Amino acid sequence: MIVKGTYFQNSKEKPLVYGDVELINPKRQRLRGEEEQEGILAKSVIVGFCGTDHELMNMGRQGKLGAKFPEGTNRLINGHEGVVWVPEQNRFAIVLIRGGNSYDPTRYTEEETYFEYGCDQADGLFSDCNYYHPDMLLPIPDGFAENGKLPLSFAKKMVFPDPFGCMVFQLERMEDIGSAHNFRVEMAKNKCSEEEGRELAKKHLFDRTVIFGLGTTGMFIGDLIHRKYPDAKIVFVARSEEKSLKVRFAVSHTGAAYVKNDFSTKEKLAEAIKKELLGTATVFLGVSGSSVEHEIAFAYGVLGNNGIYNSFSLGPKVAFDTMPFGFKNQIILSSINFRQEHMERAIKLLVDSDYDKIVELIDKETFIKDPVDAYNNRIYCKDAPLKTAVIWDESFIDMNK
């Protein structure tokens, strides 16, 4: 089947194009041990843009996308955030992005494989329709679809289950590691059992949290930490003006403080962060995409003893001095994944949120006319909105709700 869509290719001049593209429908596994199944056809309704899309476009410009293409093709239909309509089942669905021959897609080993719709070895949502594994089409909550349409406000929220699900996983991952990392300290301090020590270590990991960078992922993890640990001291660090929408929105949803990164030196920035924290960070989350993250955490001492450094950023190389690092008993981790349960929980949390307020739409005709220009000058430019999405098929959206 040939449809219209945008797709990445290895090309210096045209790494992302819109036009005719032939769909493929290979059998895929959701998890190891399950039967391989062909996909069923679904129509794209609304699709969100992710920073990964921009990174993939740059890889295509450098001729480095070959390993990302679905087998037997020389292109990748992008897009991994959004809602589809499944004609065969007469329902809307949210695509579970990651699957493959692995028991746990967040922990796949060298002999296991994975795929990600719109990102890696499997085509995604920026096309009129596509084939998806039938068990990876997650239902939307009841009560929102009416007469074959979704309210616009709800549809906007549903471009976030992928990144929000990833942050649900990040919280779980930090709790797991933080509990194991510091429970013996808590046992000694409180003269308590191992079980009690692990719970205390998990809780106190977030006592002084730095989120360095303020995109949607930083906002989401701040929200999740605040929901579960309301006494946590959270400090966002970014370059945005204090009165900007993203800063006001993030602070209001997390009870966080904000440090604007406009200091003349990194040392002054580090001191300002520690002053706002009332100490050093127990956990430092890097989401800015800048190498400044690890310098502030390690070279300038913002991350404290027994602390955890978690990098969500794609691109920066992390460096540290092994001598103080070893004696300070710090941990570095990085993992950008989630399981189906994380995405399902994210959907439920998003339903009751107001995250639709930070999603701005780009007109579909504007986007497909010149996708590269749209990426560079509308979606990922300096003054870009916090989140951009495109309505791919307006017939499924109630624009008045």
Side-chain angles (χ1 to χ4, degrees):
M1 178 186 294
I2 294 177
V3 300
K4 295 288 187 182
T6 63
Y7 56 90
F8 292 124
Q9 60 184 2
N10 282 323
S11 170
K12 186 175 181 180
E13 303 300 327
K14 295 184 176 181
L16 177 64
V17 296
Y18 174 79
D20 290 338
V21 58
E22 186 171 2
L23 300 182
I24 59 174
N25 190 18
K27 289 185 176 181
R28 299 187 186 278
Q29 278 180 297
R30 180 179 60 169
L31 292 171
R32 192 165 194 169
E34 295 185 354
E35 181 183 357
E36 290 185 340
Q37 298 186 57
E38 287 187 348
I40 58 175
L41 199 67
K43 296 182 177 181
S44 299
V45 176
I46 185 171
V47 192
F49 297 89
C50 173
T52 301
D53 300 329
H54 195 234
E55 183 66 23
L56 290 171
M57 186 181 77
N58 290 332
M59 288 175 65
R61 185 175 282 120
Q62 299 165 21
K64 297 180 178 179
L65 270 182
K68 300 289 186 181
F69 296 148
E71 186 176 355
T73 73
N74 60 357
R75 87 296 176 277
L76 171 69
I77 300 173
N78 59 313
H80 56 277
E81 301 176 350
V83 181
V84 297
W85 170 259
V86 189
E88 184 179 320
Q89 299 175 348
N90 195 38
R91 69 179 179 98
F92 291 101
I94 296 164
V95 181
L96 173 64
I97 299 307
R98 176 175 279 229
N101 185 27
S102 59
Y103 294 112
D104 181 344
T106 70
R107 304 285 199 284
Y108 70 95
T109 61
E110 289 82 357
E111 71 273 10
E112 295 178 333
T113 60
Y114 77 95
F115 68 88
E116 290 185 339
Y117 287 116
C119 293
D120 207 325
Q121 305 169 64
D123 291 326
L125 282 76
F126 276 117
S127 57
D128 294 339
C129 55
N130 209 341
Y131 293 99
Y132 303 100
H133 190 294
D135 296 332
M136 295 175 68
L137 290 167
L138 306 183
I140 66 167
D142 294 336
F144 288 96
E146 186 174 341
N147 299 320
K149 291 179 180 285
L150 293 175
L152 177 60
S153 58
F154 173 79
K156 284 182 173 182
K157 296 176 189 178
M158 292 302 109
V159 301
F160 287 127
D162 176 285
F164 209 110
C166 187
M167 293 305 105
V168 173
F169 164 71
Q170 292 294 345
L171 181 60
E172 173 192 275
R173 184 91 165 114
M174 288 187 290
E175 288 177 330
D176 289 350
I177 292 176
S179 175
H181 185 44
N182 288 322
F183 77 91
R184 294 191 184 280
V185 175
E186 295 295 342
M187 286 175 63
K189 184 191 302 182
N190 297 284
K191 303 295 188 293
C192 61
S193 67
E194 179 177 327
E195 182 179 358
E196 292 170 317
R198 287 182 181 274
E199 284 302 311
L200 287 170
K202 184 190 302 185
K203 174 185 176 182
H204 291 308
L205 174 64
F206 302 102
D207 280 352
R208 296 181 302 280
T209 298
V210 171
I211 302 175
F212 199 97
L214 190 49
T216 51
T217 52
M219 191 179 299
F220 291 157
I221 193 62
D223 183 354
L224 288 166
I225 292 171
H226 180 63
R227 287 171 188 255
K228 192 163 185 180
Y229 304 101
D231 295 330
K233 175 72 172 177
I234 300 172
V235 176
F236 285 106
V237 183
R239 294 184 178 275
S240 302
E241 295 295 333
E242 288 90 341
K243 294 182 180 180
S244 67
L245 170 63
K246 66 164 66 175
V247 173
R248 289 186 286 109
F249 195 90
V251 168
S252 67
H253 283 65
T254 61
Y258 181 69
V259 172
K260 184 183 178 186
N261 181 8
D262 60 355
F263 293 88
S264 57
T265 66
K266 295 171 186 174
E267 183 177 18
K268 290 182 179 179
L269 172 60
E271 290 304 314
I273 296 171
K274 286 188 281 189
K275 181 179 179 180
E276 192 64 55
L277 278 176
L278 302 178
T280 54
T282 50
V283 63
F284 189 109
L285 312 177
V287 296
S288 73
S290 166
S291 61
V292 175
E293 297 171 351
H294 71 85
E295 294 179 61
I296 294 298
F298 298 114
Y300 293 91
V302 170
L303 182 63
N305 287 15
N306 307 309
I308 287 180
Y309 180 92
N310 191 356
S311 173
F312 307 164
S313 295
L314 293 175
K317 294 182 179 180
V318 177
F320 57 91
D321 185 337
T322 56
M323 179 66 79
F325 176 78
F327 281 96
K328 288 184 177 181
N329 196 41
Q330 294 165 333
I331 285 179
I332 297 175
L333 69 96
S334 181
S335 183
I336 304 173
N337 294 309
F338 56 83
R339 299 187 299 276
Q340 180 171 331
E341 64 188 281
H342 298 132
M343 200 167 185
E344 290 170 338
R345 183 169 173 230
I347 292 168
K348 292 179 181 179
L349 291 171
L350 285 163
V351 165
D352 296 322
S353 77
D354 60 352
Y355 278 112
D356 55 300
K357 293 180 179 178
I358 62 173
V359 180
E360 293 189 21
L361 299 175
I362 184 171
D363 177 68
K364 181 182 176 182
E365 294 305 315
T366 301
F367 171 56
I368 64 177
K369 181 179 180 181
D370 190 340
V372 173
D373 180 73
Y375 270 46
N376 290 334
N377 298 310
R378 290 285 300 275
I379 301 167
Y380 300 109
C381 64
K382 180 182 178 182
D383 298 320
L386 259 171
K387 188 69 173 181
T388 304
V390 60
I391 297 176
W392 202 262
D393 191 333
E394 197 167 312
S395 67
F396 292 106
I397 301 292
D398 186 337
M399 301 296 289
N400 298 314
K401 290 187 179 180

